[in-house]
Amino acid sequence: MDWSENIPVDDDAFQYYERLGRVREFGQANLSQELPIQEVAKIAGLSPKYFTAFFRQHTGTCFRDWLASIRIDRARALLSERTRPVTEVAFLVGFRDVRTFQRTFKKLTGMTPRAFKKSVAPAVQPAADAAKTSRASGQFSST
C-alpha cells in the first residue's frame, strides 16, 4: 500500500534490477535501523557513489527520499491501528527524532501524524444517541 504519492518511484525497477530488489528487501526488513548509504550500497554490490547514481537513474528518486517514503507508509499503517502513540511509531519506523518524523510525515501526506491518527479514528456515538438508535431499530435489551 503506497501512501506517499509525492515521491514518484518506478516500482518496476525493483523487480527488473536484482540489486535494487535486494536493496528494497533490505530496506523494508531493517526499516527501524539506520541505513547508511555505504551499507546499502554494499547490499547492491556497488560503490556508494555509483549506487546513489544507479538508484536515482532507475527509480526516479534518490535513496534517502525513497527510504523516507517507505518509512512513512509503514508509519501510516501503524497509526491506523491506533494502538501506539505517535512518538513510538516514529522510532519504530526508523526516525531518530520525533520532529523530523512529524515534518516528513506532513510533507509526504499533507497532515501531521496526530491529525492522521484522528482521521482514521471511528466516529464515537454518544451513549444517548446509541440508545435512541437501538430503540428506533426495535432492539431492546431484556433486563
Side-chain angles (χ1 to χ4, degrees), residues 1-12 14 55-56 58-73 76 95 103-110:
M1 151 160 40
D2 182 17
W3 298 100
S4 4
E5 309 82 26
N6 296 342
I7 305 280
V9 176
D10 181 0
D11 283 326
D12 292 339
F14 291 101
F55 191 93
R56 182 183 286 276
H58 295 294
T59 65
T61 193
C62 69
F63 175 75
R64 188 185 65 178
D65 288 349
W66 172 78
L67 183 60
S69 172
I70 64 170
R71 283 180 166 158
I72 296 303
D73 285 346
R76 286 185 66 155
F95 285 87
R103 272 195 309 264
T104 304
F105 193 98
K106 186 166 185 175
K107 177 183 172 189
L108 294 179
T109 66

Side-chain angles (χ1 to χ4, degrees), residues 33-46:
Q33 307 298 313
E34 278 191 52
L35 298 176
I37 202 75
Q38 294 81 2
E39 187 176 346
V40 177
K42 195 179 292 185
I43 297 295
L46 301 169

Side-chain angles (χ1 to χ4, degrees), residues 48-104:
K49 185 176 180 177
Y50 186 67
F51 170 74
T52 57
F54 184 86
F55 191 93
R56 182 183 286 276
Q57 178 183 2
H58 295 294
T59 65
T61 193
C62 69
F63 175 75
R64 188 185 65 178
D65 288 349
W66 172 78
L67 183 60
S69 172
I70 64 170
R71 283 180 166 158
I72 296 303
D73 285 346
R74 180 70 180 128
R76 286 185 66 155
L78 290 170
L79 290 169
S80 293
E81 295 170 3
R82 300 182 25 250
T83 58
R84 294 182 172 97
V86 170
T87 303
E88 182 181 345
V89 170
F91 292 116
L92 284 173
V93 299
F95 285 87
R96 300 290 172 249
D97 174 295
V98 176
R99 182 76 178 125
T100 302
F101 169 68
Q102 291 171 332
R103 272 195 309 264
T104 304

